[in-house]
Amino acid sequence: EWEVTFLSVNNDAGVAVPLSSPKHGINPVDAALSIRPSDCVDCAFVSGLSALTTYYLNIRAHNLKGFGPYVQSAGVPKEIPGPPNAVSASSVSGTQLEVFFSPPSGVISDITQYTVQWDVTDNFTDATNLEPSCATSGYGECELLGATISVVPPFRYLINFLSESTRYYVRVAARNSVSLLSATDSENDPTRWSQVVSAVTSNQAPSAPVEVSSSVSGPTSLQVLITPPISSGGLNITNYLIEWDASEQFDDASSYGSSLQAPSDLPELSQTSGVLVYELTGLVTGVSYWVRVSAANDIDFSPITLSAQSATPAGKPKEPASLSLTTASSQDTSITSTTV
């Protein structure tokens, strides 16, 4: 198999000349290669078919004696995927953008990955002319596949290594076997990119804590577990606001309470989990409490995360106030009851 790239011609007419052996070192020595306009010799084009649908063809030859037997063949027309839908970009910190997108319209069963591309210009000069990657600074290109796109859309990607207070332009393309081959030609790239979206990087309030749960730890206490936010907003988290109430709407003033805790004051459940622990004390035994938590940095508080269910402080039961023992009557004994 040969791969030949024609860069220019070398004759007065400006016409590409045939390559032949041995002049051009083609093996075998009697081989030759020429260029001719697009044609269809001994072939036929079948149009109006649907992409990614299997079609069966019966083919037979004809001469003066008539038709020969049929030979059956099958083929699947393919096309470059359409542009992804619902592309959006928003700042989550001074160095990060969060991108969401959904698959293209139509048949998507052959899409194997998505390309996310970003740059400081809307013509993506650096991203197309340099050597972009997922980790290049200020511009880049990253391929998303596998588990990242196995979830229910929209898909999410976090762009890193950006500069603060800078506008970045983002676009997304779906890839299949056809587009992956054609994408190697940067000058005549037929990729069907999504609409271009943009966002300016800036530090934000943290995202909401991932999870909050509470469990009974004593007759007047609960243990609260806090999974920290995915994003700190670009700044260090300074405090966690922990609130509790007997009402899920947090409108029962008689049972409401709150505490502001620095991250350094909250021990970790384990060295690997990163889950923070807070002991909530001074509660009323037998009352169910809901717990909610928000994180704060120097900009603002995050959205609130509410515990999935309430928890009720409880302890061991007290001793019985009295005990009464009653026995059935018997001819052999005169004892009918006794009180201890």
Side-chain angles (χ1 to χ4, degrees):
E1 178 178 322
W2 301 330
E3 180 176 329
V4 180
T5 302
F6 294 93
L7 301 177
S8 63
V9 296
N10 189 21
N11 56 55
D12 294 337
V15 177
V17 296
L19 300 181
S20 60
S21 180
K23 179 180 179 180
H24 297 96
I26 301 176
N27 186 30
V29 294
D30 60 348
L33 178 66
S34 63
I35 302 175
R36 61 184 180 186
S38 299
D39 57 16
C40 188
V41 176
D42 295 331
C43 68
F45 289 106
V46 180
S47 59
L49 305 181
S50 299
L52 303 179
T53 300
T54 301
Y55 289 91
Y56 298 91
L57 306 174
N58 284 328
I59 306 170
R60 61 179 179 175
H62 179 269
N63 61 16
L64 294 176
K65 299 293 185 180
F67 286 96
Y70 280 107
V71 173
Q72 188 177 80
S73 180
V76 179
K78 294 185 177 182
E79 64 180 359
I80 295 173
N85 293 311
V87 180
S88 66
S90 59
S91 176
V92 294
S93 76
T95 60
Q96 296 174 311
L97 290 181
E98 187 175 41
V99 180
F100 288 96
F101 62 93
S102 294
S105 302
V107 181
I108 60 173
S109 58
D110 68 331
I111 293 176
T112 57
Q113 62 197 72
Y114 290 87
T115 303
V116 179
Q117 197 175 77
W118 60 95
D119 206 328
V120 293
T121 61
D122 59 4
N123 58 4
F124 297 86
T125 304
D126 290 341
T128 54
N129 294 329
L130 301 179
E131 296 182 357
S133 73
C134 302
T136 44
S137 179
Y139 67 94
E141 180 177 294
C142 201
E143 301 298 327
L144 309 185
L145 63 163
T148 305
I149 59 173
S150 297
V151 299
V152 177
F155 305 130
R156 174 185 178 272
Y157 179 66
L158 190 65
I159 302 175
N160 295 288
F161 309 109
L162 305 179
S163 299
E164 189 176 357
S165 301
T166 302
R167 180 171 294 278
Y168 288 90
Y169 298 87
V170 182
R171 61 183 181 180
V172 185
R175 303 295 192 189
N176 62 6
S177 58
V178 178
S179 60
L180 286 173
L181 289 174
S182 60
T184 58
D185 183 1
S186 59
E187 293 185 359
N188 301 289
D189 182 10
T191 299
R192 301 174 69 181
W193 291 99
S194 69
Q195 66 179 38
V196 176
V197 297
S198 69
V200 177
T201 51
S202 62
N203 289 324
Q204 309 285 323
S207 59
V210 173
E211 184 179 10
V212 174
S213 64
S214 60
S215 59
V216 177
S217 60
T220 60
S221 62
L222 298 175
Q223 184 181 74
V224 180
L225 301 182
I226 305 167
T227 303
I230 293 176
S231 171
S232 67
L235 301 172
N236 291 330
I237 293 176
T238 56
N239 287 292
Y240 285 94
L241 176 61
I242 304 167
E243 301 173 279
W244 57 93
D245 200 305
S247 167
E248 187 176 0
Q249 288 71 41
F250 283 74
D251 55 5
D252 183 356
S254 64
S255 62
Y256 175 81
S258 66
S259 178
L260 199 62
Q261 296 288 321
S264 58
D265 294 333
L266 299 174
E268 290 190 355
L269 184 64
S270 67
Q271 293 182 345
T272 57
S273 69
V275 175
L276 305 178
V277 181
Y278 177 68
E279 289 294 333
L280 178 54
T281 60
L283 305 177
V284 178
T285 303
V287 175
S288 295
Y289 289 88
W290 293 89
V291 181
R292 65 184 186 185
V293 181
S294 58
N297 59 17
D298 289 341
I299 293 179
D300 203 350
F301 280 91
S302 74
I304 290 170
T305 298
L306 179 68
S307 57
Q309 58 187 17
S310 62
T312 307
K316 294 180 180 179
K318 295 181 179 180
E319 70 278 1
S322 63
L323 176 63
S324 177
L325 176 63
T326 301
T327 62
S329 299
S330 172
Q331 295 179 351
D332 297 331
T333 178
S334 59
I335 299 177
T336 59
S337 66
T338 184
T339 301
V340 180

